[in-house]
């Protein structure tokens, strides 16, 4: 059924309750590739709590994206086959504990009509809070509903994407993904068969299952962690990325990074196929 603008804008779902434990924190970190080198102490801090020499387990900032998996403002009645992730923008208010009970408040921010044959863009927000009611993170997701345009809503007003510098990148880092990485990452919540079922992937137009866009998003967080944040999760204030093309598990993701003050701009590519998979990336550091 077509989008009813007023109804979609009114959607909200407040006080959604979730909980997670250290197992979920470690699974997410492993799912985005941390710990591939079992002797790398800096990465092990995110996937292993230490025994003989105890150490605090660290939480990857973008764990926020799965801490309340499934939270949202409600049923949008979109053509799901035609819906793709457009962008994620997470603002971090305080570091996540390694285990917690949290709440999620979700609302719709904007709905843009790009035209009958061009689809619609829906931006919605989820605010995660701890048991005291203090904000942990604010997540803004942008969905591109390719089959739901032409409902008569506003077409202008979308936020402008972040512009990366035109100079040569200050750092370049290659991050290898595992052939089975999507099978691990899906255990964090996203069971979309596009990422695990070869037959489903072929019907969707892909030669094989693709990596979750949000796994690629986490990989870009990992790239900033290891280059400009010294593996310190508390250094992250914001992490933004636009999805432009999928990654196939097993491919190497090349991140190009630019640092200007406390802002790190980035893009990510798969050089073997000559495609850019993440555009307009921005991390704000403390």
């Amino acid at each position: 059924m077509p989008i009813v603008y007023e109804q979609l804008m009114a959607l909200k779902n407040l006080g959604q309750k979730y909980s997670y434990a250290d197992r979920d924190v470690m699974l997410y970190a492993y799912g985005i590739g941390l710990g591939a080198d079992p002797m790398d102490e800096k990465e092990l801090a995110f996937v292993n709590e230490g025994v003989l020499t105890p150490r605090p387990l660290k939480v990857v900032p973008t764990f926020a994206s799965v801490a309340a998996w499934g939270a949202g403002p409600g049923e949008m009645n979109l053509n799901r086959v035609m819906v793709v992730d457009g962008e994620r923008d997470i603002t971090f208010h305080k570091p996540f504990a390694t285990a917690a009970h949290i709440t999620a408040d979700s609302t719709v921010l904007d709905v843009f009509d790009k035209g009958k044959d061009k689809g619609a863009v829906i931006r919605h927000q989820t605010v995660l809070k701890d048991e005291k009611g203090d904000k942990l993170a604010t997540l803004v997701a942008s969905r591109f509903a390719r089959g739901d345009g032409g409902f008569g809503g506003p077409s202008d007003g979308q936020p402008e994407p972040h512009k990366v510098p035109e100079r040569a990148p200050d750092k370049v880092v290659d991050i290898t993904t595992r052939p089975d990485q999507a099978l691990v990452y899906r255990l964090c919540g996203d069971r979309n068969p596009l990422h695990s079922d070869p037959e489903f992937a072929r019907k969707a137009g892909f030669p094989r299952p693709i990596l979750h866009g949000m796994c690629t998003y986490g990989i870009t967080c990992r790239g900033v962690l290891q280059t400009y944040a010294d593996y310190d999760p508390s250094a992250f204030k914001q992490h933004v990325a636009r999805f432009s093309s999928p990654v196939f598990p097993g491919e190497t993701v090349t991140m190009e990074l630019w640092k200007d003050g406390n802002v790190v701009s980035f893009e990510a590519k798969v050089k073997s196929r000559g495609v850019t998979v993440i555009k307009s990336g921005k991390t704000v550091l403390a």
Side-chain angles (χ1 to χ4, degrees):
M1 58 185 295
I3 286 176
V4 178
Y5 178 75
E6 293 77 11
Q7 291 181 4
L8 195 51
M9 285 295 296
L11 278 182
K12 64 174 61 177
N13 194 354
L14 308 180
Q16 303 163 83
K17 295 182 179 180
Y18 293 87
S19 64
Y20 64 87
D22 61 353
R23 179 181 182 277
D24 304 294
V25 166
M26 290 186 280
L27 179 61
Y28 177 80
Y30 182 64
I32 63 171
L34 287 166
D37 179 352
M39 298 300 289
D40 187 331
E41 294 286 342
K42 289 185 176 180
E43 292 199 358
L44 280 175
F46 293 89
V47 294
N48 179 276
E49 62 274 24
V51 177
L52 294 179
T53 304
R55 60 166 174 256
L57 183 66
K58 293 183 178 182
V59 183
V60 179
T62 50
F63 172 73
S65 64
V66 300
W69 175 256
E75 178 56 56
M76 297 185 182
N77 294 313
L78 304 174
N79 182 348
R80 294 185 179 181
V81 177
M82 300 290 284
V83 176
V84 295
D85 245 332
E87 180 178 324
R88 261 324 171 280
D89 179 347
I90 301 182
T91 298
F92 308 99
H93 305 293
K94 60 188 295 188
F96 277 69
T98 54
H101 293 276
I102 60 175
T103 59
D105 295 337
S106 301
T107 55
V108 174
L109 296 176
D110 304 290
V111 183
F112 299 103
D113 188 353
K114 309 308 290 183
K116 187 173 182 180
D117 299 320
K118 297 181 179 179
V121 175
I122 299 101
R123 296 177 70 244
H124 56 94
Q125 172 179 281
T126 296
V127 178
L128 303 182
K129 300 177 182 178
D130 63 18
E131 288 187 281
K132 296 180 180 179
D134 295 334
K135 290 183 180 180
L136 292 167
T138 298
L139 293 69
V140 177
S142 175
R143 294 186 188 182
F144 181 34
R146 295 172 293 168
D148 291 282
F151 57 90
S155 58
D156 298 325
Q158 277 186 258
E160 289 293 323
H162 174 68
K163 292 183 179 180
V164 302
E166 295 182 0
R167 68 179 187 273
D170 300 322
K171 287 184 183 288
V172 178
V173 59
D174 289 329
I175 299 176
T176 301
T177 65
R178 300 186 307 273
D180 65 345
Q181 193 146 346
L183 297 178
V184 175
Y185 185 83
R186 73 191 297 261
L187 302 180
C188 295
D190 189 346
R191 299 289 186 95
N192 186 337
L194 178 61
H195 308 294
S196 60
D197 187 327
E199 181 183 13
F200 189 95
R202 285 193 294 268
K203 285 189 175 182
F206 297 99
R208 55 195 173 101
I210 63 175
L211 193 62
H212 303 71
M214 289 306 295
C215 182
T216 305
Y217 178 80
I219 287 171
T220 63
C221 176
R222 175 186 165 195
V224 178
L225 266 174
Q226 71 186 60
T227 53
Y228 288 117
D230 194 28
Y231 289 95
D232 179 8
S234 68
F236 281 69
K237 298 304 177 186
Q238 186 183 24
H239 191 71
V240 186
R242 283 196 166 202
F243 308 108
S244 55
S245 188
V247 174
F248 290 100
E251 292 185 322
T252 296
V253 175
T254 299
M255 280 188 71
E256 299 177 341
L257 305 102
W258 298 261
K259 189 172 188 297
D260 297 284
N262 67 333
V263 175
V264 177
S265 303
F266 61 86
E267 287 194 339
K269 302 176 180 180
V270 173
K271 289 185 175 179
S272 62
R273 288 189 289 119
V275 296
T276 299
V277 296
I278 293 290
K279 293 183 176 179
S280 305
K282 180 180 75 171
T283 301
V284 179
L285 300 173

